[in-house]
Structures are given as structure tokens and as C-alpha cells.
Amino acid sequence: MRKIFPNLLIFTILLLPFLNPTTVSSAVSHTWAEQDAGNRFWTSIAITPDGQKMVATAQNTKVYISNDAGLMWSSANDSPTLLGWNGIALSDDGLKIVASAQSDFIYISTNGGGNWLESSGSGGGIKIWETLAGSADGQYYVAAIQSQNLTLSSDGGDNWVEVTSLDIKNWYSVDCSSDCSTVVAAAFDDYIHISHDKGATWEAKASIGSRFWQTVSVSADGQKIIAMYNYDNEVSDFGGGYISNDGGDTWQEITALLGDEYWRSSEMSDDGNHIIVAGDLGDVYVSHNGGFSLSLIHISEPTRPRLI
């Protein structure tokens, strides 16, 4: 279920094991390794809870897969080569992969990336798919689309239903709890919207304002939520963020804990203790105490593993 750096425009895949709560000791050292899967326009990456399986999308190529915690990567030969890969979700067992592409269909693999089928229920056409998120068992999915409605699937991605109870917006980011009972969606130049009944009803979080929201992340139980905005024309040229510990009822601003950045991506561990945020200018901050404090990470020169 875990996704790392959705829509972050990176040319290497940088891996930090802190997203797996069982590896806290190694995470605190803040050791990074650049995994050489090619110099590509990477758009999205997902990881299983044990950190062993990773899947990634990049523009104008196939889906890439690693089965050894990112040491070696190979393209999923049966996946289509598409210009606009933009989002990916992975079930906890590593078998179900769902990926979205701009102006195309959503594609599904049920055997860990060996074979792929387009989801005709996703409609295809001119949809500008942004991020997507799924439940741990690969049954429920939600997808963000620019200038259209959010879409939901309750049958593993075969069929998709528009969320007509919300207005058409520039949806940029979406995430959900492990069972997708809590769904959080970010609209650019609008509000954060939250559902606690798998998308049946929604509430706009006006208390933290209408902002240029870029990314949201949700813990497995749906209680901790982080929301980051890219910039703020009225207060500052730079972005900021908020954290909620009660499913979005109340929020604490974390902007003062961060440097000047245009925030692009965020992620957290299933238990909500370990958080990572990254910006357009290259800053990466991590927290190992649920966002109470955040530390700027300096990424050192990498070692290069093999590409297969």
C-alpha cells in the first residue's frame, strides 16, 4: 500500500528504510543509497510493508519492479510503454499492482507485474490521472484526476465510479487508510477533503484553508494525516504543511519546522511515526516521532548497484 514520492520529478530512486517500522534503528542513521534503475523521469513508487517489493513508474517507459528491496530493477515486460505514467499502488502481499497513466487507462496486474490488463472501467481517454491509492488487500482504490471528479473502485480496479458528491476540481493527491475507510484528497487551490466511509460522504477541511495543496499521506489506521502545500501567494512564496492526529478533526501547522521549499511529496509509515517530505528545490525532511520534530537530510554520494 505504501507509496513514496508520488509525482516527485526525480531522476534516481532514493530509498530510506524508515517506512518499515521494523527498521527504525537503521533509519535513524539516515543512510541513503542511490539505486541505478536508469536516468528516467520517475513519477511514482510504491513499496510493500516488509520493504522487499518495490514498483515504480516513469514517463515514456514500462513499469519497473524490484523484488530485493531495490537492489536490482527490471522492467515489467508485459506492461505497456506509456508517456504519461503518473501513479501506482501496491497491495501488501506484492501481487496486486494498479497504475494510472495520463490520457490512457488504469492498468492492473494480479501476479506481481508478470501480466497486465487495462481496466476498461476506468474509461481511458483524456483523463489526467494524478495519484492513486489502494487498500492493503487490493480491493479498494481511489484516484485523483485533474479537472474532473475523484473516482473510486470497490472491485479491485475493474470498475470505477465518479464521486459526484464533490465538485469537479484539480485533484492532485489522494491517500487512504489500510482498508480505505478513511480517504483524504487534496485539491489544488482548494480544500483538503476527507471521507470516513470509503468515499460515500465527504467533508471539506476549511479550518486549514484553501491552498495550493500538493500531497497528502495517511497512516494505516486513518488517524494521522499529513497535508503539504506547494506555495502560498498571500503569506509566502514558499509552501508549508499541517498534521492531524485525529483523522482530520484538528490540525497542527508544521511550516515553522521546515525550511523554505515548494513541497511536492510526502509519505509516512503505516504506524504514522515515520514521515518524509520532499520539495522541488531538493530538500528532504524526515521525522521519527510522528511529526513533532523534523530533520533536514543531506543525501551523500551514492554507490551504484546493478541494473538488470
Side-chain angles (χ1 to χ4, degrees):
M1 177 183 126
R2 296 291 88 190
K3 306 174 302 306
I4 303 176
F5 296 159
N7 293 328
L8 178 61
L9 307 184
I10 55 178
F11 296 93
T12 56
I13 298 176
L14 297 169
L15 305 175
L16 185 64
F18 81 111
L19 286 178
N20 180 0
T22 64
T23 59
V24 174
S25 60
S26 62
V28 174
S29 67
H30 297 152
T31 300
W32 293 77
E34 182 180 19
Q35 307 304 306
D36 191 357
N39 188 350
R40 305 185 186 282
F41 200 84
W42 299 104
T43 55
S44 184
I45 185 169
I47 182 173
T48 52
D50 62 5
Q52 289 302 298
K53 181 151 193 165
M54 302 176 184
V55 291
T57 57
Q59 292 192 8
N60 200 28
T61 186
K62 296 178 180 294
V63 173
Y64 272 75
I65 298 175
S66 172
N67 290 302
D68 56 5
L71 293 177
M72 293 184 293
W73 292 81
S74 60
S75 60
N77 291 331
D78 191 54
S79 71
T81 298
L82 297 175
L83 176 63
W85 289 118
N86 221 21
I88 197 163
L90 179 64
S91 62
D92 280 5
D93 62 9
L95 294 177
K96 186 72 168 288
I97 309 170
V98 177
S100 59
Q102 290 189 23
S103 302
D104 209 289
F105 291 94
I106 285 177
Y107 289 83
I108 300 172
S109 173
T110 59
N111 58 1
N115 302 103
W116 293 79
L117 294 173
E118 64 182 33
S119 171
S120 58
S122 62
I126 60 172
K127 290 184 176 67
I128 306 176
W129 299 103
E130 288 293 337
T131 58
L132 61 83
S135 59
D137 63 2
Q139 185 67 21
Y140 293 91
Y141 291 94
V142 57
I145 314 173
Q146 284 193 41
S147 302
Q148 294 192 42
N149 291 320
L150 288 174
T151 60
L152 301 170
S153 174
S154 60
D155 59 2
D158 291 335
N159 294 284
W160 296 79
V161 178
E162 293 185 358
V163 180
T164 56
S165 58
L166 292 174
D167 293 335
I168 291 175
K169 302 178 186 296
N170 283 322
W171 299 106
Y172 261 57
S173 182
V174 66
D175 200 10
C176 64
S177 57
S178 61
D179 60 359
C180 277
S181 58
T182 294
V183 184
V184 181
F188 202 67
D189 196 17
D190 203 281
Y191 297 111
I192 297 293
H193 294 73
I194 299 180
S195 171
H196 292 295
D197 52 15
K198 294 186 176 180
T201 60
W202 295 81
E203 180 183 358
K205 296 302 176 179
S207 62
I208 54 175
S210 174
R211 300 179 181 275
F212 295 99
W213 298 108
Q214 190 72 46
T215 176
V216 293
S217 296
V218 184
S219 61
D221 63 5
Q223 288 301 292
K224 185 175 285 289
I225 303 168
I226 185 169
M228 306 294 295
Y229 58 92
N230 193 252
Y231 60 93
D232 188 338
N233 284 335
E234 295 183 1
V235 178
S236 169
D237 288 338
F238 298 101
Y242 289 83
I243 285 181
S244 173
N245 293 298
D246 53 15
D249 290 338
T250 61
W251 297 81
Q252 295 80 47
E253 188 171 7
I254 60 172
T255 306
L257 303 177
L258 304 165
D260 293 338
E261 254 291 2
Y262 305 106
W263 299 107
R264 177 68 59 174
S265 298
S266 65
E267 192 51 81
M268 70 172 69
S269 57
D270 281 357
D271 62 6
N273 287 330
H274 310 289
I275 297 170
I276 183 170
V277 295
D280 286 340
L281 301 180
D283 285 349
V284 177
Y285 279 77
V286 299
S287 173
H288 301 295
N289 55 17
F292 181 78
S293 62
L294 293 107
S295 301
L296 177 65
I297 300 303
H298 299 283
I299 301 171
S300 59
E301 286 298 316
T303 57
R304 294 184 178 274
R306 294 183 296 127
L307 173 66
I308 59 175

